[in-house]
Amino acid sequence: AQSVTQLGSHVSVSEGALVLLRCNYSSSVPPYLFWYVQYPNQGLQLLLKYTSAATLVKGINGFEAEFKKSETSFHLTKPSAHMSDAAEYFCAVSVPGGNTGKLIFGQGTTLQVKP
Amino acid sequence: DTAVSQTPKYLVTQMGNDKSIKCEQNLGHDTMYWYKQDSKKFLKIMFSYNNKELIINETVPNRFSPKSPDKAHLNLHINSLELGDSAVYFCASSPRARGRETDTQYFGPGTRLTVL
């Protein structure tokens, strides 16, 4: 069965500092992986996704993530945090070949950006 | 134009009541979903429909019943509401019927349900 673990429920960085949000997955087959962001009182929107093409994936708003099979990780990074990046971030996995579109989410990481 | 819309945005009701949440997408997508986000922000899939056919039905109480009158709408009806049903419910849609496991899901703004 697939699962996702996000290390650190709360991450705080200073404006301009590196953002690193950690995601590890468990899957019996090479998974598809997603990062979604949820701004306060809004729905989720996709930041980026890995669907077995390039292992380094670039997304919106300067975010990127690297799929590392050996480490079963898909960590999200951004070189320089902006105040507007403060939000809840979710890593999710879907099952190849299942054709249901079922996403299994991690527990989320709250990103705080300090001025 | 809102891509995925939900009504109402807030719903406050008493235990034992029956309520519905409506969802509409104007993206022309084939698949729609309902998710529940609890007070700790954990998100879990509840249901998924493709062209009015149920394709995901997770372990949720049978007091919850999805209804899809057409592929642009997926409503959630909840009978005999309980305190534990308080949560934010999100509707989402994705483009395809096949290969949907790689598709981006587009989420609505959520409906915050409070059961008193």
Side-chain angles (χ1 to χ4, degrees):
Chain A
Q2 279 73 22
S3 67
V4 171
T5 302
Q6 292 182 239
L7 299 175
S9 59
H10 191 100
V11 171
S12 182
V13 300
S14 298
E15 191 173 21
L18 171 72
V19 175
L20 170 60
L21 304 182
R22 299 177 188 273
C23 173
N24 287 89
Y25 67 89
S26 174
S27 177
S28 56
V29 297
Y32 301 129
L33 294 158
F34 303 76
W35 275 100
Y36 281 84
V37 61
Q38 183 181 22
Y39 297 105
N41 299 312
Q42 294 186 29
L44 282 72
Q45 68 179 90
L46 182 75
L47 276 177
L48 49 80
K49 60 183 176 181
Y50 166 76
T51 57
S52 72
T55 56
L56 181 61
V57 181
K58 294 187 185 299
I60 62 171
N61 300 338
F63 285 94
E64 63 181 38
E66 186 171 8
F67 173 71
K68 291 187 177 180
K69 184 178 177 182
S70 60
E71 298 177 8
T72 61
S73 68
F74 190 57
H75 301 331
L76 182 70
T77 61
K78 180 174 181 177
S80 177
H82 192 272
M83 296 296 291
S84 61
D85 294 327
E88 191 77 21
Y89 290 80
F90 293 94
C91 184
V93 62
S94 73
V95 181
N99 201 33
T100 64
K102 177 178 175 179
L103 284 177
I104 298 169
F105 284 89
Q107 65 270 47
T109 298
T110 303
L111 177 64
Q112 180 187 24
V113 182
K114 297 176 290 186
Chain B
D1 282 346
T2 304
V4 182
S5 59
Q6 296 179 227
T7 53
K9 188 170 177 64
Y10 299 96
L11 183 54
V12 181
T13 188
Q14 300 287 331
M15 277 175 51
N17 284 350
D18 302 340
K19 290 293 180 185
S20 291
I21 305 172
K22 295 185 176 182
C23 178
E24 176 182 2
Q25 55 94 5
N26 62 7
L27 297 167
H29 288 174
D30 284 336
T31 307
M32 296 184 73
Y33 310 81
W34 276 111
Y35 288 87
K36 179 180 180 180
Q37 185 175 48
D38 64 22
S39 59
K40 296 184 179 178
K41 297 195 174 179
F42 181 65
L43 270 159
K44 193 169 191 299
I45 184 104
M46 299 174 70
F47 302 104
S48 175
Y49 265 77
N50 174 57
N51 281 330
K52 301 195 292 179
E53 178 186 359
L54 183 66
I55 54 172
I56 296 176
N57 185 356
E58 291 291 292
T59 308
V60 299
N62 58 15
R63 298 181 294 103
F64 290 79
S65 55
K67 289 184 171 40
S68 181
D70 55 61
K71 80 170 195 175
H73 296 84
L74 180 62
N75 303 323
L76 183 65
H77 189 77
I78 316 170
N79 289 328
S80 304
L81 278 155
E82 300 178 356
L83 293 177
D85 298 332
S86 295
V88 181
Y89 293 85
F90 287 100
C91 177
S93 71
S94 65
R96 296 178 291 175
R98 294 207 170 273
R100 59 176 74 89
E101 60 266 32
T102 61
D103 280 353
T104 299
Q105 293 186 18
Y106 295 80
F107 284 76
T111 296
R112 182 174 295 275
L113 172 65
T114 302
V115 182
L116 303 175

